[in-house]
């Protein structure tokens, strides 16, 4: 697709190779007021930061991010995690931040603060997570990347984990993103083409506690930033195309120390029982619009359960909770919650799962 907003990256390389001396560029990243959008801006530091305390609190215009009124717009960025920057490399860093209002209260979409408190309370359970992040590539006109402009590709079937130019669109972006995640130290564990053409998935985990949310948000930032270089749009919409096309989710694999040990199946079954009694509250936590986004995806078709009902089963991709067959056979391991939407906040998802299964809240 020809884009009037695309620039020549080869020209940029001429400038990015210039030495920068001892000063360092720190890209501050935060979640905006939509609960699913990411923002960033860059600050110069006088030297390489060795620890979080070396990174100053910064501010931004919250009124331009749906987080404050224009008459009182200063909103504050508190650094919480630092990653090597795969774009500028060297000593330059990415800085994940929590957002706070003028009165030192967290912004409405700062779910990390509460999530961290829950993870601290449950740390003896050693909760592990792995999230399967599905997403869709679009052209800048909103049409799925690689799809015919005046029609549709062939029906679903040949695209999942496929190879070949007639079945796979956007692999260059996927490969670039994967390498960026590895460079940044994100615990990315894999990637694959998904059921709908132009739809992909990457997996992050297993990670423990708050690290799941941190790593997934930064992995999303890297995906957006890489796709920007290719002039392609990344959509986390849970149902980007109506009709006989799969939606996009963020299946959350979860276990505690007790689940992972011999005899863990009884703990997995106990967790599923608790989850069954809290279906509605989980649905509200599993997308940024309290279930409205997931209504379009969780229909009971296209490898989903119905949003109205809770279900579980071994190797059942049409259930709310899937127990992998090898877990059932060996008697311990983990469960997969297939309900979270692709645009979920992983802090909200992991927090509500731990509160329900570990803390009894």
């Amino acid at each position: 697709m020809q884009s009037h907003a695309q620039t020549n990256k080869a020209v940029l390389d001429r400038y990015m190779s210039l030495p920068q001396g001892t000063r360092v560029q720190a890209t501050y990243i935060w979640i905006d007021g939509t609960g699913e959008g990411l923002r960033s801006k860059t600050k110069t530091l006088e030297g390489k930061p060795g620890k979080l305390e070396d990174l100053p609190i910064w501010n931004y215009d919250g009124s331009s991010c749906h987080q404050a009124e224009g008459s009182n717009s200063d909103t504050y960025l508190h650094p919480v995690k630092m990653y090597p920057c795969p774009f500028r490399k060297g000593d330059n860093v990415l800085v994940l931040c929590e957002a706070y209002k003028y009165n030192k209260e967290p912004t409405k979409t700062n779910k990390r603060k509460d999530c961290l408190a829950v993870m601290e309370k449950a740390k003896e359970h050693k909760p592990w997570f792995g999230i399967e992040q599905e997403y869709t590539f679009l052209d800048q006109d909103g049409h799925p990347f690689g799809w015919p402009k005046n029609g549709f590709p062939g029906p679903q079937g040949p695209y999942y984990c496929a190879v070949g130019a007639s079945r796979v669109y956007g692999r260059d972006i996927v490969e670039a993103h994967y390498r960026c995640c590895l460079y940044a130290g994100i615990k990315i564990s894999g990637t694959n083409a998904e059921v709908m053409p132009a739809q992909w998935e990457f997996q992050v985990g297993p990670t423990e506690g708050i690290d799941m949310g941190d790593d997934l948000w930064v992995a999303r930032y890297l995906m957006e930033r890489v796709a920007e270089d290719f002039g392609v749009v990344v959509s986390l919409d849970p149902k980007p195309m109506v009709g006989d096309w799969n939606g996009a989710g963020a299946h959350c694999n979860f276990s505690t120390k007790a689940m992972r040990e011999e005899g863990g199946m009884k703990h997995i079954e106990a967790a599923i029982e608790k989850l069954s009694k809290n279906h509605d509250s989980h649905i509200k936590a599993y997308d940024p619009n309290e279930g409205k986004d997931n209504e379009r995806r969780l229909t009971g078709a296209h490898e989903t359960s119905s949003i109205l009902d809770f279900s579980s089963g071994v190797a059942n991709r049409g259930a709310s909770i899937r127990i992998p067959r090898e877990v059932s056979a060996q008697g311990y391991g983990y469960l997969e919650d297939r309900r979270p939407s692709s645009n979920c906040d992983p802090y909200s998802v992991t927090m509500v799962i731990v509160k329900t299964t570990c803390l009894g809240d």
Side-chain angles (χ1 to χ4, degrees), residues 123-314:
K123 63 183 178 181
E124 66 187 61
H125 296 276
K126 296 192 176 299
W128 286 9
F129 305 94
I131 289 184
E132 306 166 29
Q133 176 66 69
E134 294 177 335
Y135 59 95
T136 308
F137 289 137
L138 307 176
D139 282 329
Q140 291 185 25
D141 61 2
H143 196 69
F145 185 71
W147 285 32
K149 287 300 182 187
N150 297 309
F152 297 90
Q156 293 184 155
Y159 308 108
Y160 173 70
C161 294
V163 294
S166 65
R167 296 177 292 278
V168 174
Y169 313 126
R171 192 184 296 277
D172 288 355
I173 307 169
V174 172
E175 292 294 331
H177 172 255
Y178 204 142
R179 190 58 60 91
C180 284
C181 286
L182 292 172
Y183 183 95
I186 288 167
K187 204 166 183 182
I188 187 169
S189 51
T191 189
N192 58 269
E194 267 300 334
V195 176
M196 188 180 83
Q199 187 183 77
W200 291 80
E201 170 184 303
F202 64 87
Q203 303 94 34
V204 174
T207 61
E208 187 169 330
I210 199 67
D211 289 342
M212 182 71 258
D214 291 348
D215 274 10
L216 189 61
W217 274 115
V218 175
R220 286 176 175 178
Y221 174 83
L222 294 177
M223 175 54 78
E224 291 276 12
R225 181 66 178 75
V226 167
E228 176 187 318
D229 280 349
F230 284 89
V232 173
V233 175
V234 177
S235 171
L236 296 185
D237 190 290
K239 187 68 174 178
M241 296 299 291
V242 297
D244 195 17
W245 304 102
N246 273 33
H251 305 156
C252 183
N253 300 280
F254 167 68
S255 68
T256 61
K257 185 174 183 292
M259 294 179 191
R260 296 187 293 270
E261 294 176 341
E262 199 75 32
M265 183 56 69
K266 67 181 181 181
H267 298 285
I268 293 172
E269 291 170 347
I272 292 172
E273 178 64 21
K274 292 175 183 177
L275 291 168
S276 72
K277 295 176 180 177
N278 292 275
H279 178 66
D280 291 345
S281 62
H282 279 248
I283 288 297
K284 287 183 178 180
Y286 284 177
D287 76 49
N289 292 298
E290 297 190 335
K292 294 297 182 184
D293 291 337
N294 244 341
E295 281 181 1
R296 295 180 287 121
R297 168 181 162 259
L298 295 180
T299 61
H302 302 109
E303 300 181 78
T304 70
S305 59
S306 168
I307 196 170
L308 301 175
D309 304 307
F310 181 89
S311 57
S312 64
V314 174

